[in-house]
């Protein structure tokens, strides 16, 4: 049985923001139904221990996210949640203290990525307050993300928009140093017990309209990760946000059969040979990080 370090379940394709770095999905707006979610969990049992409520969409929008977390816990799954954090005033009480939650990733770069965002200080304060309460009342881990660096500008972290956020974090956690002084690309900075800040480069979602990279390459798709979109479409990685590499539907076939199917096997074996067989993969800049 194939097992995955990460398995992504998109519980909604709807987002309350329109960030510049995240192209809007052309798929139908939808929320996963409880029975469909339960079926998905039963299908992937044994294939993964950690699930991620993430592909596209804002998971805190799901009206039954508390129920989804409880179902995950009942079936022995640990959940990693990625959110922009703007809906904590509504959804925070629903998720606080849920035993399924292993980690919450807050995409702080969403604030500046969304045109029209207001009250940055208030936004950061609310996220930090929730993070502190969550850590104090559970064994959860928190990751604050600023994924807006550029490849050619190591000092992008010092620009004005990030400085406001960094200053607020330094104040909230009573740091006796400037975060920039401890920044190392690709490594997290510990702000407090089980609370970290991570800087990464902004990445482009793969798009069939992009220029193809015909070189040999490798990816961890279907090796350490796989996923399913809100409509049940099985995808090989979390960056296939439109389900271009449709491996099958988890509500129409057994998941174990889908990931051993012809298209999945061709993709997997191709990467084993450092050959990129899928068009979308040849147009994915993130894959170039694994080229050897």
């Amino acid at each position: 049985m194939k097992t995955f370090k990460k398995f992504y379940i998109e519980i909604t394709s709807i987002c309350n923001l329109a960030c510049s770095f995240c192209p809007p999905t052309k798929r139908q707006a939808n929320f996963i139904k409880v029975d469909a979610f339960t079926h998905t969990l039963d299908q992937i049992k044994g294939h993964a221990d950690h699930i991620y409520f993430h592909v596209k969409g804002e998971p805190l929008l799901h009206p039954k996210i508390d129920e989804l977390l409880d179902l995950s816990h009942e079936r022995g799954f640990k959940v990693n949640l990625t959110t922009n954090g703007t809906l904590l005033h509504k959804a925070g009480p629903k998720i606080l203290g849920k035993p399924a939650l292993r980690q919450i990733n807050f995409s702080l770069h969403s604030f500046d990525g969304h045109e029209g965002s207001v009250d940055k200080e208030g936004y950061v304060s609310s996220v930090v307050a929730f993070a502190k309460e969550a850590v104090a009342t559970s064994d959860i881990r928190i990751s604050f993300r600023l994924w807006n660096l550029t490849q050619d500008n190591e000092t992008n972290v010092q620009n004005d928009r990030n400085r406001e956020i960094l200053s607020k974090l330094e104040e909230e956690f009573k740091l006796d140093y400037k975060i920039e002084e401890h920044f190392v690309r690709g490594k997290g900075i510990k702000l407090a017990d089980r609370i970290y800040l991570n800087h990464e480069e902004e990445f482009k979602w793969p798009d069939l309209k992009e220029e193809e990279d015909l070189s040999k390459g490798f990816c961890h798709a279907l090796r350490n990760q796989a996923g399913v979109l809100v409509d049940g479409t099985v995808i090989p990685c979390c960056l296939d946000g439109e389900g271009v590499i449709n491996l099958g539907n988890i509500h129409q076939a057994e998941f174990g059969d889908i990931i051993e199917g012809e298209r999945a096997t061709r993709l997997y074996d191709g990467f084993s040979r450092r050959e990129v067989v899928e068009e979308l993969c040849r147009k994915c800049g993130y894959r170039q990080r694994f080229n050897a």
Side-chain angles (χ1 to χ4, degrees), residues 19 28 44 101 125 129 138 147 158 162 207 220 224 228 240 248 250 254 263:
C19 296
Q28 181 179 358
I44 67 171
L101 274 177
S125 293
S138 70
W147 286 12
Q158 299 180 41
N162 278 359
D207 192 315
H220 293 286
N224 73 3
V228 58
D240 187 4
I250 205 167
E254 295 292 321
R263 190 171 190 179

Side-chain angles (χ1 to χ4, degrees), residues 98-204:
K98 288 297 184 183
L101 274 177
R102 172 185 174 271
Q103 179 167 318
I104 302 180
N105 306 311
F106 289 102
S107 299
L108 299 184
H109 51 280
S110 299
F111 187 92
D112 288 305
H114 176 74
E115 186 176 352
S117 294
V118 295
D119 190 15
K120 184 182 293 187
E121 183 173 337
Y123 162 70
V124 176
S125 293
S126 68
V127 172
V128 169
F130 177 88
K132 288 181 176 179
E133 184 176 2
V135 166
T137 56
S138 70
D139 59 357
I140 198 170
R141 293 168 60 92
I142 301 292
S143 172
F144 297 138
R145 292 178 170 179
L146 280 173
W147 286 12
N148 56 7
L149 303 183
T150 58
Q151 287 184 334
D152 58 353
N153 187 3
E154 289 285 344
T155 60
N156 186 62
V157 70
Q158 299 180 41
N159 67 23
D160 290 339
R161 60 179 184 174
N162 278 359
R163 178 92 291 277
E164 291 180 65
I165 292 177
L166 296 179
S167 292
K168 188 62 180 174
L169 292 177
E170 291 160 3
E171 174 189 336
E172 292 279 0
F173 291 101
K174 297 180 172 54
L175 303 183
D176 59 1
Y177 60 85
K178 294 291 186 182
I179 290 175
E180 292 100 323
E181 296 171 0
H182 291 255
F183 166 64
V184 178
R185 185 182 291 272
K187 291 187 178 181
I189 295 174
K190 185 175 182 178
L191 303 178
D193 181 37
R194 287 177 282 127
I195 302 179
Y196 300 86
L197 171 66
N198 290 280
H199 292 102
E200 290 288 351
E201 296 173 6
E202 181 177 328
F203 67 86
K204 290 181 63 177

Side-chain angles (χ1 to χ4, degrees), residues 16 31 34 54 78 102 179 204 208 233 240 246 266:
N16 62 317
F31 292 100
V34 171
H54 185 51
K78 284 295 186 181
R102 172 185 174 271
I179 290 175
K204 290 181 63 177
L208 290 176
T233 299
D240 187 4
N246 184 343
R266 191 168 64 245

Side-chain angles (χ1 to χ4, degrees), residues 203-233:
F203 67 86
K204 290 181 63 177
W205 288 78
D207 192 315
L208 290 176
K209 297 177 182 177
E210 294 294 324
E211 185 177 346
E212 285 198 17
D213 173 11
L214 299 176
S215 63
K216 288 186 175 294
F218 178 78
C219 180
H220 293 286
L222 292 182
R223 277 181 162 75
N224 73 3
Q225 68 166 286
V228 58
L229 299 179
V230 68
D231 65 353
T233 299

